[in-house]
């Protein structure tokens, strides 16, 4: 009897060893040539040491060449907190989905929902197995259920996608429904149709990079959020990202040991030029406010006229939305409005307070942006700013003109406070544009020698009309704060607002301006 038990144990060990080895050696070699890690090595880097639970390891084990049916579903820990993971094994049928692959993914989504913990998708998949389509594609627990579950989990638990290789056809919607998509440059891609399919259907000849490459999606389409140089960096970034978030919407974000800003000796006032239209680097201003080393930027390469990122103030997470005067003057375009709307919604879902740093001339105008739907996209950003119920502070760093004031959570959009630096301006438009709009005909009638003095006088009158102290007197803004005192003021106010409880309105849901 003891020998039978031993024999059974030996067989079990051998089967487990074979399954955990993944696909054939030639596929491992191909991945290594491309700089790809084996899926189980990725998980070793992702998880804290010495804790991992794997489910359905033996899925499809009676079939040759399909260890774990090409996907690892596991529970582990990151920073000591439980997470769930779905990870494709590209050495098995190129990480394609069969019936049991789909069932494993669905079950891990259900586990993350029940445990109220973050869910990470480590994607490296060629898509559906055509041979299994009748079993894995159309049914109630078919592939469509994965996307249904992602929508259901959205805002309930953090969902992170790390894209190591392809995410093809319908599978491209896994990253699309995640909170953040980290893409490895050179290997990651997502597309609905491959270059070959696109050529057959449309006649267009496209490279994989142009059609669905990592840099294209991070810089052009906006489907990617962070571009990583390597798999190791991508995994490290995902661990850092999670450090700002609670396990679910039912908890608050974790805090860390407070740090001083990186360049605490440099006055913030030195960064901001006196002239409203001289560019300055908003990144330098942000670094002068936040805890050193705490800025985690999202969509750095996309719509660079607006900065969005996570940071810490006195150890507490905060989401930052800031105009970047160095890029297109900080004017809001349709893409930057899209970028802001998603980020505001993300922070609001998981109780991360919002800080708006405003230096905006308004929304862009012209035929190109109107045809691109700037009004519709701008409405998304304004709606997101309105709906956010987390603590939110709007700071007019230099100027807030036109509807840019609204989009950056100006006074009408229920910020807990609207502050301004002493040299800030709030107006429908700047003095130069306003004088030209009102007095263009008058200026044209004046003799050339008198025009400059007339324009200068009218601009000064306009500046007096929009005087910041008048706005403070009228309680349009809640305070005027010197740049050197802004960090301290923000820390005190966010602490005071931390008990905020606010329901925006009672309804089923809005009709989104999408």
């Amino acid at each position: 009897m003891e020998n039978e038990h031993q024999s059974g144990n030996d067989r079990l060990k051998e089967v487990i060893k074979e399954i955990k080895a993944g696909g054939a050696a030639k596929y491992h070699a191909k991945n290594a040539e491309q700089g790809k890690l084996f899926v189980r090595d990725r998980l070793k880097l992702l998880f804290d040491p010495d804790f991992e639970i794997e489910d359905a390891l033996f899925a499809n084990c009676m079939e040759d060449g399909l260890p774990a049916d090409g996907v690892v579903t596991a529970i582990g820990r990151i920073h000591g907190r439980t997470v769930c993971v779905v990870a494709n094994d590209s050495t098995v049928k190129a990480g394609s989905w069969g019936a049991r692959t789909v069932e494993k993914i669905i079950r891990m989504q259900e586990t993350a929902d029940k445990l109220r913990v973050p869910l990470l998708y480590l994607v490296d998949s060629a898509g559906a197995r055509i041979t299994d389509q009748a079993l894995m594609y159309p049914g109630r627990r078919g592939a469509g259920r994965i996307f249904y579950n992602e929508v259901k989990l959205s805002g309930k638990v953090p969902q992170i996608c790390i894209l190591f290789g392809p995410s093809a056809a319908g599978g491209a919607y896994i990253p699309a429904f995640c909170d953040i998509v980290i893409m490895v440059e050179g290997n990651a891609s997502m597309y609905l149709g491959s270059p070959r399919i696109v050529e057959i259907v449309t006649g267009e000849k496209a490279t994989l990079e142009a059609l669905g490459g990592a840099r294209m999606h991070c810089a052009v389409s906006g489907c990617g959020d962070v571009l990583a140089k390597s798999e190791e960096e991508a995994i490290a970034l995902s661990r850092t990202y999670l450090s700002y978030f609670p396990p679910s919407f039912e908890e608050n974000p974790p805090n860390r040991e407070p740090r001083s800003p990186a360049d605490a000796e440099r006055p913030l006032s030195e960064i901001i030029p006196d002239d409203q239209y001289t560019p300055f680097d908003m990144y330098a201003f942000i670094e002068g406010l936040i805890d050193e080393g705490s800025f985690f930027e999202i969509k750095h390469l996309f719509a660079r006229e607006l900065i969005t990122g996570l940071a810490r103030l006195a150890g507490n997470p905060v989401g930052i939305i800031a105009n970047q005067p160095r890029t297109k003057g900080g004017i809001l375009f349709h893409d930057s409005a899209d970028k802001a709307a998603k980020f505001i919604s993300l922070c609001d879902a998981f109780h991360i307070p919002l800080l708006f740093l405003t230096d905006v001339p308004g929304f862009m105008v012209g035929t190109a942006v109107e045809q691109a739907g700037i009004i519709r996209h701008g409405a998304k950003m304004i709606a997101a700013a309105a709906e956010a119920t987390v603590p939110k502070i709007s700071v007019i760093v230099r100027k807030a003109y036109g509807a840019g004031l609204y989009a950056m959570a100006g006074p009408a959009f229920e910020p807990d406070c609207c502050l301004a630096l002493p040299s800030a301006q709030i107006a429908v438009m700047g003095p130069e544009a306003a004088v030209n709009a009102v007095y263009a005909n008058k200026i044209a009638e004046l003799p050339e020698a008198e025009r400059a003095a007339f324009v200068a006088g009218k601009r000064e009158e306009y500046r007096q009309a929009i005087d910041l102290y008048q706005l403070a007197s009228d309680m349009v803004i809640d305070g005027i704060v010197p740049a050197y005192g802004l960090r301290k003021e923000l820390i005190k106010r966010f602490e005071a607002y931390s008990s905020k409880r606010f329901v925006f309105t009672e309804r089923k849901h809005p009709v989104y301006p999408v």
Side-chain angles (χ1 to χ4, degrees):
M1 183 66 70
E2 187 176 333
N3 288 338
E4 288 179 10
H5 283 306
Q6 185 61 44
S7 176
N9 289 339
D10 290 344
R11 185 190 175 199
L12 177 61
K13 289 178 183 178
E14 188 62 33
V15 171
I16 291 173
K17 183 179 178 181
E18 287 180 9
I19 293 172
K20 289 191 172 183
K26 62 181 180 180
Y27 300 121
H28 286 272
K30 183 181 178 182
N31 278 353
E33 288 173 10
Q34 296 174 338
K36 286 185 173 185
L37 297 172
F38 180 44
V39 61
R40 296 184 184 278
D41 293 327
R42 291 169 180 164
L43 292 177
K44 287 176 185 176
L45 293 174
L46 179 67
F47 290 150
D48 296 346
D50 304 322
F51 186 91
E52 181 181 340
I53 301 167
E54 184 171 349
D55 284 340
L57 173 67
F58 298 97
N60 232 0
C61 67
M62 304 306 289
E63 293 289 331
D64 290 335
L66 290 170
D69 211 39
V71 67
V72 178
T73 50
I75 301 171
R77 285 186 180 145
I78 295 176
H79 307 304
R81 300 186 300 167
T82 300
V83 298
C84 290
V85 172
V86 171
N88 299 121
D89 182 354
S90 61
T91 69
V92 179
K93 299 286 186 183
S96 60
W97 296 0
R100 291 172 182 82
T101 318
V102 169
E103 181 61 27
K104 286 179 71 171
I105 296 171
I106 290 170
R107 289 189 189 186
M108 191 49 68
Q109 290 177 315
E110 292 168 345
T111 298
D113 192 3
K114 287 183 283 189
L115 299 182
R116 293 290 198 269
V117 298
L119 178 57
L120 294 93
Y121 302 86
L122 278 57
V123 178
D124 192 356
S125 170
R129 285 179 216 150
I130 301 299
T131 53
D132 278 21
Q133 64 173 306
L135 295 174
M136 57 75 62
Y137 165 66
R140 287 181 177 269
R141 287 184 73 85
R145 192 72 174 191
I146 296 170
F147 313 128
Y148 173 90
N149 284 342
E150 280 192 277
V151 175
K152 189 177 178 182
L153 289 170
S154 180
K156 185 181 283 190
V157 300
Q159 293 186 93
I160 298 96
C161 175
I162 314 174
L163 204 47
F164 297 102
S167 185
Y173 284 104
I174 279 191
F177 287 120
C178 283
D179 305 338
I180 184 173
V181 180
I182 301 170
M183 302 184 75
V184 178
E185 188 164 21
N187 283 333
S189 61
M190 54 174 146
Y191 47 82
L192 297 182
S194 68
R196 184 174 60 180
I197 294 294
V198 167
E199 185 174 1
I200 292 170
V201 174
T202 70
E204 178 191 359
K205 292 185 177 180
T207 64
L208 182 59
E209 174 56 36
L211 188 67
R215 182 165 287 274
M216 186 284 288
H217 277 307
C218 288
V220 181
S221 77
C223 289
D225 295 293
V226 180
L227 187 67
K229 296 183 182 71
S230 66
E231 295 200 0
E232 291 84 353
E233 183 184 41
I235 292 167
L237 285 166
S238 69
R239 287 177 57 90
T240 301
Y241 172 84
L242 273 175
S243 70
Y244 295 89
F245 285 83
S248 77
F249 78 104
E250 295 173 324
E251 300 183 44
N252 290 320
N255 54 24
R256 292 287 183 270
E257 193 69 27
R259 292 182 181 179
S260 298
D263 192 1
E265 299 304 313
R266 184 187 182 189
L268 282 175
S269 56
E270 287 185 4
I271 297 169
I272 308 167
D274 292 331
D275 177 52
Q276 293 287 344
Y277 296 99
T278 300
F280 74 94
D281 188 5
M282 187 62 83
Y283 286 108
F285 190 83
I286 291 169
E287 290 295 342
L289 278 179
I290 64 173
D291 295 9
E292 181 177 4
S294 71
F295 193 53
F296 187 100
E297 189 171 4
I298 294 175
K299 292 191 186 296
H300 170 69
L301 297 175
F302 181 71
R304 299 185 71 169
E305 64 274 12
L306 188 80
I307 299 167
T308 53
L310 302 160
R312 289 192 176 88
L313 276 171
N316 296 307
V318 62
I320 294 176
I321 302 96
N323 308 110
Q324 171 57 304
R326 274 196 174 179
T327 302
K328 302 176 183 176
I331 297 173
L332 291 167
F333 284 73
H334 46 283
D335 279 344
S336 41
D338 242 6
K339 173 178 175 175
K342 171 75 179 287
F343 182 73
I344 293 168
S345 177
L346 168 68
C347 292
D348 189 48
F350 294 108
H351 311 294
I352 295 175
L354 291 165
L355 173 61
F356 293 81
L357 298 174
T358 305
D359 184 13
V360 62
F363 281 89
M364 188 59 183
V365 297
T367 306
V369 292
E370 294 293 1
Q371 292 179 356
I374 193 165
I375 297 171
R376 178 165 52 85
H377 291 295
K380 281 189 268 187
M381 180 178 180
I382 293 171
E387 286 186 316
T389 60
V390 292
K392 54 186 179 185
I393 297 177
S394 178
V395 178
I396 314 303
V397 175
R398 191 165 58 162
K399 61 183 176 293
Y401 295 158
L405 174 67
Y406 301 160
M408 296 297 288
F413 287 79
E414 284 288 330
D416 293 286
C417 71
C418 184
L419 304 174
L421 299 192
S423 60
Q425 290 183 355
I426 301 173
V428 172
M429 59 184 73
E432 295 81 1
V435 170
N436 185 62
V438 176
Y439 296 104
N441 293 336
K442 174 71 172 175
I443 293 168
E445 292 169 358
L446 289 172
E448 186 73 31
E450 298 177 18
R451 289 179 184 175
F454 178 83
V455 169
K458 291 302 179 184
R459 286 178 179 175
E460 184 55 34
E461 286 179 18
Y462 187 84
R463 289 189 186 96
Q464 293 299 321
I466 60 170
D467 182 74
L468 190 67
Y469 289 88
Q470 184 62 53
L471 293 177
S473 175
D474 294 338
M475 298 171 60
V476 172
I477 58 173
D478 300 295
I480 302 173
V481 182
Y484 66 80
L486 183 57
R487 173 180 160 90
K488 187 175 181 180
E489 182 78 11
L490 292 173
I491 290 169
K492 287 194 299 182
R493 285 183 176 273
F494 275 125
E495 183 180 354
Y497 303 151
S498 63
S499 61
K500 179 181 178 182
R501 296 293 180 271
F502 175 61
V503 176
F504 179 65
T505 190
E506 292 186 9
R507 63 184 174 192
K508 185 176 181 182
H509 60 72
V511 179
Y512 295 103
V514 296

